[in-house]
Amino acid sequence: EVQLVESGGGLVQPGGSLRLSCAASGFTFSNYWMNWVRQAPGKGLEWVANIKQDGSEKYYVDSVKGRFSISRDNAKNSLYLQMSSLRADDTAIFHCAVTWGMPGGFDIWGQGTMVTVSS
Amino acid sequence: DIQMTQSPSTLSASVGDRVTITCRASQSISSWLAWYQQKPGKVPELLIYKATSVKSGVPSRFSGSGSGTEFTLTISSLQPGDLATYYCQQYNSYPRTFGQGTKVEIK
């Protein structure tokens, strides 16, 4: 079964840091671009970042550039999101997602991990 | 950045109604558009990719059309289980962007 499982969320103070992880299973992780998508409570979806199969290309939404860093470890089938200088408006559920079986769109999503930025 | 604008933001329809949701892109995205369904408390699910291709396993009442800047998602006969928020998303360029969502309610 193709599966993505996120971890690492929690409560952090404004200005703090957090590292999210996404463990992939059921598919050849190293063959796919991987993405992070977030959803603030009661709000819509926002794509955050993605990373190429070998980590050589990375893209970010403007609001996180310079604060978030996406990475991956293909040997561990894992995706990461290092977040720093966190702000209240970063509070959201963070999902990892992949375009796996379809030639477009994110067809596999993890359940997400909640990040709460509050003092 | 490409802005994706959905209309309406909310719609209320009866079981069996034909429902249409529109998504407009601020510039051409060819056919690089996906539609998602997010039921309350659940993770989004892909319905449509490349504007018109229905993902395997998605009920045939869901269809997508359009290209360039204007797209539609149609539910041919609304069912109670279609209560959800629907999002469009472009994957023509970075950053990937989603529409703000259309909440579908059942009358």
Side-chain angles (χ1 to χ4, degrees):
Chain A
E1 180 192 6
V2 177
Q3 196 172 14
L4 299 171
V5 178
E6 302 91 339
S7 61
L11 174 64
V12 60
Q13 292 189 339
S17 299
L18 211 55
R19 188 197 196 205
L20 306 183
S21 299
C22 170
S25 59
F27 66 104
T28 306
F29 178 76
S30 58
N31 286 354
Y32 296 89
W33 283 78
M34 294 298 298
N35 299 265
W36 286 101
V37 178
R38 67 183 176 182
Q39 187 167 31
K43 302 297 185 182
L45 301 168
E46 181 180 42
W47 176 85
V48 174
N50 71 359
I51 184 169
K52 196 176 179 180
Q53 291 91 329
D54 62 358
S56 62
E57 292 182 40
K58 304 173 185 181
Y59 297 91
Y60 300 90
V61 68
D62 281 353
S63 60
V64 309
K65 282 180 183 175
R67 300 189 301 123
F68 291 10
S69 178
I70 190 171
S71 63
R72 65 191 297 161
D73 184 336
N74 288 339
K76 295 183 177 179
N77 292 332
S78 292
L79 175 71
Y80 306 102
L81 187 67
Q82 178 68 48
M83 305 185 295
S84 61
S85 302
L86 283 161
R87 311 184 304 220
D89 62 358
D90 293 316
T91 294
I93 297 174
F94 282 74
H95 299 274
C96 55
V98 63
T99 301
W100 173 73
M102 301 290 120
F106 304 138
D107 58 332
I108 304 295
W109 295 66
Q111 289 298 312
T113 187
M114 183 71 203
V115 172
T116 303
V117 183
S118 175
S119 55
Chain B
D1 298 2
I2 297 176
Q3 308 303 317
M4 307 300 292
T5 304
Q6 289 181 231
S7 59
S9 295
T10 307
L11 71 86
S12 182
S14 300
V15 172
D17 283 354
R18 182 181 183 89
V19 168
T20 298
I21 299 169
T22 297
C23 176
R24 288 186 174 86
S26 59
Q27 62 190 78
S28 177
I29 58 170
S30 185
S31 294
W32 305 119
L33 184 100
W35 287 98
Y36 301 87
Q37 175 192 63
Q38 186 176 30
K39 295 182 179 181
K42 301 296 186 182
V43 172
E45 293 190 1
L46 179 67
L47 296 175
I48 307 278
Y49 61 94
K50 208 175 178 187
T52 62
S53 297
V54 181
K55 181 189 171 186
S56 175
V58 171
S60 59
R61 62 181 180 275
F62 290 94
S63 63
S65 64
S67 66
T69 61
E70 190 136 343
F71 303 85
T72 58
L73 173 69
T74 299
I75 308 173
S76 61
S77 177
L78 190 68
Q79 299 301 304
D82 299 336
L83 167 72
T85 300
Y86 294 83
Y87 296 93
C88 61
Q89 179 230 337
Q90 65 83 16
Y91 51 98
N92 177 78
S93 63
Y94 288 107
R96 309 306 198 208
T97 44
F98 289 87
Q100 81 278 17
T102 295
K103 186 175 182 180
V104 173
E105 300 173 342
I106 311 294
K107 278 184 185 174

